[in-house]
Amino acid sequence: MISFLRGTVAHVSLSTAVIDLNGAGMSVYATPQTLSHLHVGEEAKLFTSLIVREDSLTLFGFSNDDEREVFDVLLSVSGVGPRLALAVLAVHEPEAIRVAAHSGDAKSFTKVPGIGPKVAGRIVLELAGKLVPHGTAPGAAPAVAVESVWKPQVVAAMTSLGWSEKDAAGSIDKAMADSPELADAGNVAQILRATLRWLGQDGARAGNRVGSRG
C-alpha cells in the first residue's frame, strides 16, 4: 500500500497532479482544494489511497490523514466509488461530513454533484456509527433533539428511499411508540434504522412503498 508521496510537483491540472519521485512521475487524483496548494517545482507531501481494479491502479491524494480516512469510509457505502467520494470531499470538509453522517443530515450530501436524495439517504444509513465528529465517542448519540428537529430529517431520508411523506411520518410515529428512548435521544440514523426494522417486522413494507422500489 502506498500511504503517502513526497516529492517535487511536476504538473498540476484541474483534477490531477504529477509528483516527481526521483525521476518517476506518479499521477494522483485530488480535490481542487488540495491541488490549489501544489505548485510546480516545489516539494509536496500527499497522503494517498490506492484503488486497485482489474485493469487499473489509481492513486487519490489528500492534504491530511483525516481526509483520507473519510474518503476510505465513504467507499464502504454501496454505490459510492472513488470519484464520487472525492466529490464529497470537494464540497465538504471532513469534519462537516462527520457531523452530517452522525446527525443523519442527508440533505447535506445532496449538495454534491451526482448525489440525489436516494443516494444521500443510503449514505446516511450506511455511515451511521462509522463516522463521528472529533471528540465524540464512537457509537455516542448526538445531543437530545426535539421531534420538530429530527423528524423532518428522518422523513426526508425515507422519502428518498421510496416512501411517501405521509406513510413515512406514520411509520416513524408507530416505530417510536415502541422505542420512546430513541425519540428522546433524537439520533436520526438510529431512528431511521428502527423505523425500517419496524416496517419489516410489521409486514407493511410492500404496502407502504411508493414510486421506485430500488
Side-chain angles (χ1 to χ4, degrees):
M1 178 179 178
I2 303 175
S3 295
F4 69 87
L5 300 177
R6 187 195 299 275
T8 303
V9 179
H11 177 73
V12 180
S13 69
L14 292 176
S15 59
T16 63
V18 176
I19 307 298
D20 184 345
L21 305 176
N22 297 319
M26 301 289 286
S27 181
V28 184
Y29 285 89
T31 65
Q33 297 94 313
T34 296
L35 293 169
S36 69
H37 292 96
L38 303 181
H39 305 285
V40 174
E42 296 184 2
E43 185 177 273
K45 177 181 178 180
L46 292 176
F47 293 85
T48 57
S49 181
L50 178 63
I51 305 299
V52 179
R53 297 287 186 264
E54 290 185 1
D55 58 350
S56 66
L57 297 173
T58 308
L59 271 177
F60 291 82
F62 311 93
S63 297
N64 54 64
D65 196 41
D66 192 32
E67 287 186 355
R68 179 175 61 183
E69 180 183 352
V70 171
F71 174 83
D72 288 339
V73 175
L74 283 168
L75 293 181
S76 69
V77 177
S78 304
V80 175
R83 302 299 176 88
L84 194 56
L86 197 66
V88 174
L89 281 164
V91 174
H92 298 297
E93 293 290 330
E95 187 66 6
I97 297 171
R98 291 176 179 277
V99 171
H102 187 58
S103 65
D105 182 10
K107 190 173 182 180
S108 289
F109 292 103
T110 63
K111 297 177 182 179
V112 179
I115 294 183
K118 188 172 183 178
V119 175
R122 187 187 309 134
I123 290 174
V124 166
L125 183 61
E126 295 188 24
L127 288 188
K130 294 182 179 180
L131 284 178
V132 297
H134 287 300
T136 303
V144 173
V146 296
E147 182 176 318
S148 61
V149 174
W150 60 255
K151 189 171 182 179
Q153 296 182 52
V154 182
V155 169
M158 290 189 65
T159 55
S160 74
L161 294 173
W163 277 269
S164 70
E165 288 190 11
K166 180 180 178 180
D167 287 335
S171 297
I172 293 167
D173 290 341
K174 292 174 182 177
M176 290 304 96
D178 295 335
S179 305
E181 71 283 357
L182 290 182
D184 291 339
N187 186 312
V188 173
Q190 290 182 2
I191 292 172
L192 175 59
R193 287 201 302 271
T195 303
L196 294 177
R197 283 197 302 269
W198 182 88
L199 283 166
Q201 293 170 357
D202 186 64
R205 183 184 299 274
N208 287 337
R209 278 284 195 176
V210 297
S212 172
R213 299 175 184 270

